[in-house]
């Protein structure tokens, strides 16, 4: 049965957990469907008109019975809830040391950028047995990034970052799909995820030289776009120092705080007015429309690499 092509490979660490939830739900539904059908038929035949079956002793009220059919489904529902919540938490909490790859979806292709600078289209090379986190956005409409064999699927939205993570467990080539109808060639919007053993992955990364690492490409843009004139490492500029800001809690005008994640960095650049850092004037110009989505990802990668000890990731 496991070779049945309707069912995709289980090729990630979370696949069996997700399938577990699926089979549990299917099993439970089947069990009760069969049970109910059986009794419908059984009683229909037993008490059909004209039989001499015993019809005395009718029960109109039974607290025990009421309790039983309330409590048992409650218990089952809670069990399902706990099991699926565990799978869900697993799905949405990436390990912190995950390899980070940036994805841009557009009509009708997937583009990927690796931290080392490799870029690819409709292909995604990843190492086996290592957590990979994808930071994704769309250049046009809503897409959905879907790798059935890994049991991960996440909407990819214009003007926002969403992310998923997975850890592939077996080298091989797996399907990659867009799972959100996104226009004429939606059906063509796919490709393959190629899972390589670590050594081969390193080889692949080293494959074509001349790639500029993402953070470095971001640093160049940071200079070109004039960010550096306001954002200086020593905080002497007109804007706050961006060293170490990633992952920190930032205090905003008005007293709220936000955690500076990738989405916050992106928003700060294209829509600086959305959240103003406390103690600074709102003088930063918007860069909406001036930087491509890939360029933005590079700048975000650069900002993330700025650590207080001066070390890059
Ligand atoms: C004219 C000066 C100026 C320029 C140019 C400028 N910024 Fe800013 N930036 C600011 C100021 C002032 C703030 C703080 C107020 C605010 O949140 O808008 C800020 C805030 C930020 C923040 C949020 C920082 C935090 O501590 O939470 C980020 C990220 C950022 N800028 C990135 C950039 C990038 C990237 C560029 C270039 C593409 C850039 N800025 C260009 C002045 C500038
Ligand atoms: Cu699509």
């Amino acid at each position: 049965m496991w070779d049945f092509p309707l069912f995709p490979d289980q090729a990630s660490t979370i696949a069996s957990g997700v399938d577990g939830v699926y089979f549990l739900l299917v099993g439970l539904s089947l069990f009760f469907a069969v049970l109910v059908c059986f009794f419908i038929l059984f009683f229909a035949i037993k008490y059909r008109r004209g039989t001499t079956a015993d019809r005395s002793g009718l029960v109109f009220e039974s607290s025990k019975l009421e309790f039983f059919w309330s409590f048992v489904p409650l218990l089952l529902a809670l069990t399902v809830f706990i099991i699926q919540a565990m799978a869900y938490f697993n799905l949405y909490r990436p390990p912190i040391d995950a390899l980070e790859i940036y994805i841009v979806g557009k009509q009708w292709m997937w583009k990927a950028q690796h931290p080392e600078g490799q870029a690819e289209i409709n292909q995604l090379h990843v190492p086996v047995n290592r957590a990979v986190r994808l930071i994704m956005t769309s250049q046009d409409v809503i897409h959905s990034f879907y790798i059935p064999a890994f049991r991960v699927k996440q909407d990819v939205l214009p003007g926002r970052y969403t992310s998923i993570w997975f850890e592939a467990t077996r080298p091989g080539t797996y399907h990659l799909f867009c799972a959100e109808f996104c226009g004429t060639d939606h059906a063509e919007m796919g490709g393959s995820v190629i899972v390589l053993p670590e050594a081969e992955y390193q080889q692949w990364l080293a494959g074509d030289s001349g790639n500029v690492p993402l953070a470095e490409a971001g640093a160049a843009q940071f200079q070109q776009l004039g960010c550096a004139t306001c954002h200086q490492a020593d905080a002497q500029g007109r804007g706050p120092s961006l060293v170490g800001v990633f992952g920190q809690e930032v205090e905003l005008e008005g007293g709220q705080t936000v955690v500076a994640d990738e989405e916050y960095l992106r928003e700060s650049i294209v829509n600086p007015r959305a959240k103003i850092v406390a103690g600074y004037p709102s003088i930063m110009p918007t860069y909406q429309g001036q930087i491509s989505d890939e360029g933005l990802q590079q700048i975000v990668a650069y900002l993330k690499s700025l650590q207080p000890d001066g070390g890059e990731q």
Side-chain angles (χ1 to χ4, degrees):
M1 181 199 165
W2 297 108
D3 285 335
F4 197 52
L6 252 182
F7 226 80
D9 287 335
Q10 289 183 337
S12 77
T13 50
I14 56 161
S16 60
V18 173
D19 286 357
V21 175
Y22 175 75
F23 285 122
L24 179 68
L25 287 172
V26 171
L28 272 175
S29 310
L30 264 180
F31 174 78
F32 283 106
V34 168
L35 193 74
V36 169
C37 287
F38 170 78
F39 279 116
I40 289 175
L41 279 176
F42 178 79
F43 288 129
I45 292 168
K46 180 168 181 199
Y47 294 109
R48 70 189 183 279
R49 198 193 306 175
T51 54
T52 53
D54 181 13
R55 288 174 167 86
S56 67
L58 281 185
V59 178
F60 286 103
E61 229 173 76
S62 162
S63 309
K64 259 190 211 151
L65 214 56
E66 297 267 357
F67 179 78
F68 178 73
W69 70 48
S70 304
F71 190 72
V72 170
L74 176 72
L75 222 91
L76 287 174
L78 283 179
T79 310
V80 170
F81 171 76
I82 290 168
I83 293 176
Q84 72 87 22
M86 275 164 23
Y88 183 87
F89 282 134
N90 219 342
L91 216 59
Y92 284 92
R93 278 196 302 207
I96 29 176
D97 58 349
L99 169 69
E100 291 177 337
I101 301 177
Y102 291 82
I103 304 283
V104 175
K106 64 168 275 195
Q107 289 169 321
W108 287 277
M109 62 177 78
W110 294 109
K111 299 185 278 188
Q113 298 193 95
H114 294 253
E116 292 79 1
Q118 271 75 8
E120 43 185 344
I121 288 180
N122 288 345
Q123 285 202 326
L124 180 63
H125 287 76
V126 293
V128 72
N129 295 332
R130 216 162 116 198
V132 176
R133 177 166 168 252
L134 305 179
I135 300 150
M136 309 185 291
T137 191
S138 163
Q139 211 170 299
D140 36 49
V141 300
I142 300 178
H143 302 281
S144 181
F145 192 91
Y146 181 31
I147 311 171
F150 297 172
R151 307 296 189 276
V152 290
K153 185 197 273 173
Q154 170 65 52
D155 273 15
V156 176
L157 311 170
R160 196 189 302 179
Y161 284 170
T162 54
S163 84
I164 47 168
W165 80 278
F166 55 79
E167 182 177 330
T169 50
R170 271 190 291 141
T173 301
Y174 305 97
H175 285 299
L176 161 64
F177 293 110
C178 177
E180 181 77 54
F181 181 66
C182 58
T184 315
D185 282 340
H186 162 69
E188 306 283 318
M189 186 170 170
S192 31
V193 180
I194 297 138
V195 179
L196 300 171
E198 185 68 37
E200 275 175 52
Y201 177 70
Q202 292 304 337
Q203 233 173 3
W204 178 80
L205 281 181
D208 36 17
S209 53
N211 283 314
V212 183
L214 273 202
E216 230 170 83
Q221 300 210 49
F222 196 76
Q223 294 297 333
Q224 266 163 30
L225 293 163
C227 318
T229 58
C230 292
H231 294 287
Q232 291 162 10
D234 56 8
Q236 297 301 302
R238 289 195 286 166
S241 161
L242 299 178
V243 175
V245 68
F246 179 71
Q248 291 296 312
E249 259 192 14
V250 177
E251 200 176 318
L252 300 179
E253 199 182 74
Q256 291 153 289
T257 56
V258 285
V259 174
D261 55 7
E262 287 99 354
E263 170 58 18
Y264 170 77
L265 296 180
R266 189 199 64 80
E267 186 188 53
S268 294
I269 300 167
V270 295
N271 187 10
R273 265 153 220 241
K275 300 189 177 76
I276 309 289
V277 182
Y280 286 91
S282 133
I283 50 163
M284 177 165 159
T286 169
Y287 286 86
Q288 180 85 57
Q290 294 182 45
I291 317 175
S292 66
D293 282 301
E294 282 89 346
L296 260 178
Q297 292 178 336
Q298 292 162 0
I299 296 176
V300 167
Y302 167 63
L303 297 181
K304 287 170 70 177
S305 75
L306 293 173
Q307 292 308 319
D309 51 341
E312 307 227 322
Q313 284 185 317

